[in-house]
Amino acid sequence: MAGIRVTKVDWQRSRNGAAHHTQEYPCPELVVRRGQPFNLTLELSRAPDCEETLIFMVETGPRASEALHTKAVFQTSELELGEGWTAAKEAQMENTLTVSLASPPNAVIGRYLLSIRLSSHRKHSNRRLGEFVLLFNPWCAEDDVFLASEEERQEYVLNDSGIIFQGVEKHIRAQGWNYGQFEEDILNICLSILDRSPGHQNNPATDVSCRHDPIYVTRVISAMVNSNNDRGVVQGQWQGKYGGGTSPLHWRGSVAILQKWLKGRYKPVKYGQCWVFAGVMCTVLRCLGIATRVVSNFNSAHDTDPNLSVDKYVDSFGRTLEDLTEDSMWNFHVWNESWFARQDLGPSYNGWQVLDATPQEESEGVFRCGPASVTAIREGDVHLAHDGPFVFAEVNADYITWLWHKDESRERVYSNTKKIGRCISTKAVGSNSRVDITDLYKYPEGSRKERQVYSKAVKRLFSLKASGRRTWIRRAGGRCLWHDDLLEPATKPSITGKFKLLEPPMLGHDLRLALCLANLTSRVQQVRVNLSGATILYTRKPVAEILHESHAVRLGRQEEKRIPITISYSKYKEDLTEDKKILLAAMCLVTKGEKLLVEKDITLEDFITVKVLGPAMVGVAVTVEVTVVNPLLERVKDCVLMVEGSGFLQEQLSIDVPTLEPQEKASVQFDITPSKSGPRQLQVDLVSPHFPDIKGFVIIHVATAK
């Protein structure tokens, strides 16, 4: 009988894409998810006889082998699909055969080559049918990344835009971010990130064989999104100087960053800060099929020792002494959570896992962080893989302030252990609301359970025995502390202090506020108040001092007093960073030697609104109106609107804004034509050489064409 050949392959992209939730990927090859059947239709040169069986082979990565589970050989069967790679005949009409192929739910993810031969042709080589891409499958109950809620899968896997929360604890702001995981080339770039990792470069066959495991894959991505140990995607910069690159605040999404990395032949893209690293990692992991969200932690600790405390050294005006202070507390820090099982730890630790691509500290010699089980963090199980102590400190460290004297002695100043890890936030499922998830990370602040967990974490970290053996901690610069001392708060002072804004802190305006002091005793108290203020980065690193003054205050019995403070725009104008943040401090020195440090972080406010004038429909132009206000008391020109959004624009749009008079409100209109239906995010930034970017966004619900 004449030999049989495959004359045509129909990958059934539309049918398979819908079944596998992959129809949005614009790749030429088929994209499917593991643990779930997909169909192929083969046109053959003749119909196979009853004795002939089709034998398939799939291979991924270099030197693919069955031993490494990067290669599988399997044949068609009339039986139900079983374990491993399987093939089953679905239908046959003369020379046309439809088969259903399925991978195991723990298959290696990546790009596969599919080949075929007939069982009767053992001497013949395999005939290549083509390539397809296999992804993780949150819809498959047997996959480690399975997520039961369809609403959450739509949000954390398929939503190509989101919101990243920034600002300060008392003034949280939402910033739009275009994840764009379904944009051109993004899937190929995400697979390239895995292939560019040091592990792959050193031992590609073994590296690929480990890509069945979300723990391994997410840890690789955490390292590769930053560029510290490799030619990763984004180079960090926290000094406020962005020459030769793009300011982190100018990025509006991940697509431009990832495409620039590819076009630049894998040269790190300048520059990123925490929300940029988190936004890019969210894009990559959603693209690969792992449910992922972006999380913001306000008053986030960076514990460098680690000793589960943030030790801050200040002078008599409350100014941070940077040469002594190694730890820090950022206004906010942004990381990711991904959802998967922890086969290495046990089912108690399944669920959300912390991953952080911001290069802060090394983990096993590489700048990466996680995955760390959120449950493990909440329970103080900091000994479990990976990077538990660092993440625990970010959300639950004690905040300790030391007054450093000129004779190099130090004195503990009253500080609030509840200060760290506030308003831990993420975008709500299906809406733009902010959800507070602090209770997933820790028990209520100051509660008995929270203090028990903290003590447990300390003991696990330092291997303390029940006898209370003391641990000696050596800090840089030769300073040493008994760790027992870190668990005991400083004496609470007999006065209280609080900064209060007298009017909203608007960009371009004078800052007006008051320090409110209260005497808690029935005796008269003399207080020396040393005030300082500085423009800062969001990491609280000071840039320039803008306030320095002292006041002698007499507080009568139970008396409250206000010290008015005004900082003119001219004082902070030149030194304000793009973060638009100011830190105020008051060191209050009380008669009997008590000391109280009062601090306030301020983010200056601005104004922009974006709205759509009429219904939005695929393929039909719709008008967008953007209203902006010149925040300054002077005329500004050379302003532009920068517009970006997946499903609206192929590339960023730049629109000139007319000259704006002092504090003038103006509206600009332009048309866009949606190319995709559903809820879509459009980002619009007002960019000016005269003031930091003013960022806005709107969610537009786009209907399908009638």
Side-chain angles (χ1 to χ4, degrees), residues 261-550:
W261 182 69
L262 175 67
K263 292 173 183 175
R265 298 185 178 182
Y266 312 113
K267 183 178 180 181
V269 177
K270 300 175 181 180
Y271 292 104
Q273 291 174 0
C274 66
W275 66 91
V276 178
F277 292 108
V280 171
M281 186 151 69
C282 187
T283 297
V284 175
L285 295 180
R286 286 187 184 183
C287 187
L288 296 177
I290 300 176
T292 302
R293 62 187 183 185
V294 173
V295 173
S296 300
N297 177 39
F298 292 87
N299 295 349
S300 187
H302 181 175
D303 183 20
T304 58
D305 315 65
N307 66 347
L308 303 187
S309 71
V310 170
D311 299 288
K312 177 178 177 177
Y313 289 81
V314 300
D315 66 9
S316 60
F317 277 76
R319 297 172 295 195
T320 302
L321 300 173
E322 291 190 75
D323 56 334
L324 298 177
T325 302
E326 297 163 356
D327 297 340
S328 59
M329 183 188 75
W330 297 10
N331 285 147
F332 67 91
H333 181 48
V334 185
W335 59 69
N336 299 96
E337 288 177 357
S338 290
W339 181 278
F340 50 84
R342 291 303 297 266
Q343 301 292 353
D344 57 333
L345 304 181
S348 298
Y349 302 100
N350 292 351
W352 290 117
Q353 313 292 326
V354 173
L355 293 152
D356 192 348
T358 300
Q360 296 183 94
E361 299 293 329
E362 289 187 346
S363 172
E364 298 176 337
V366 177
F367 281 96
R368 59 187 168 186
C369 182
S373 162
V374 173
T375 299
I377 299 305
R378 187 173 193 258
E379 299 302 326
D381 295 328
V382 297
H383 61 297
L384 299 177
H386 295 276
D387 309 312
F390 186 79
V391 178
F392 184 91
E394 287 183 302
V395 301
N396 217 2
D398 276 347
Y399 187 76
I400 300 175
T401 305
W402 302 93
L403 175 60
W404 189 257
H405 297 289
K406 292 181 180 179
D407 62 1
E408 297 193 354
S409 64
R410 60 179 172 80
E411 181 182 358
R412 191 162 174 179
V413 179
Y414 177 75
S415 62
N416 185 359
T417 61
K418 301 177 185 179
K419 196 178 186 75
I420 299 291
R422 306 300 295 271
C423 304
I424 304 175
S425 305
T426 192
K427 176 186 176 299
V429 173
S431 81
N432 293 329
S433 303
R434 183 182 71 87
V435 177
D436 192 306
I437 58 171
T438 307
D439 61 347
L440 296 183
Y441 281 84
K442 55 186 179 180
Y443 291 93
E445 286 283 11
S447 68
R448 184 179 178 185
K449 182 67 174 177
E450 185 263 341
R451 287 288 88 188
Q452 287 175 344
V453 168
Y454 182 87
S455 297
K456 172 186 174 182
V458 169
K459 289 176 181 178
R460 286 199 180 278
L461 185 62
F462 294 99
S463 301
L464 295 176
K465 296 180 180 179
S467 60
R469 178 172 54 85
R470 307 181 92 197
T471 298
W472 188 253
I473 302 168
R474 179 166 295 277
R475 304 303 302 262
R479 300 181 302 280
C480 298
L481 312 173
W482 287 111
H483 201 279
D484 287 2
D485 297 336
L486 302 182
L487 300 176
E488 299 169 4
T491 304
K492 193 171 184 177
S494 57
I495 66 167
T496 63
K498 184 179 181 180
F499 284 108
K500 183 177 181 180
L501 288 165
L502 302 180
E503 56 188 49
M506 300 299 297
L507 176 65
H509 292 226
D510 293 350
L511 196 59
R512 303 184 191 279
L513 65 161
L515 175 65
C516 305
L517 298 177
N519 185 357
L520 303 178
T521 72
S522 57
R523 64 179 184 272
V524 175
Q525 303 227 64
Q526 302 291 335
V527 183
R528 183 72 178 178
V529 179
N530 294 333
L531 292 169
S532 65
T535 56
I536 58 170
L537 304 172
Y538 82 99
T539 59
R540 289 184 120 211
K541 179 182 174 67
V543 175
E545 188 169 70
I546 57 174
L547 176 68
H548 184 94
E549 59 188 43
S550 293

Side-chain angles (χ1 to χ4, degrees), residues 650-675:
Q650 292 294 320
E651 55 186 26
Q652 288 185 358
L653 181 65
S654 176
I655 301 167
D656 291 334
V657 176
T659 298
L660 296 172
E661 297 299 323
Q663 298 186 298
E664 179 188 1
K665 178 184 285 189
S667 294
V668 177
Q669 294 186 0
F670 57 91
D671 290 348
I672 57 171
T673 303
S675 59

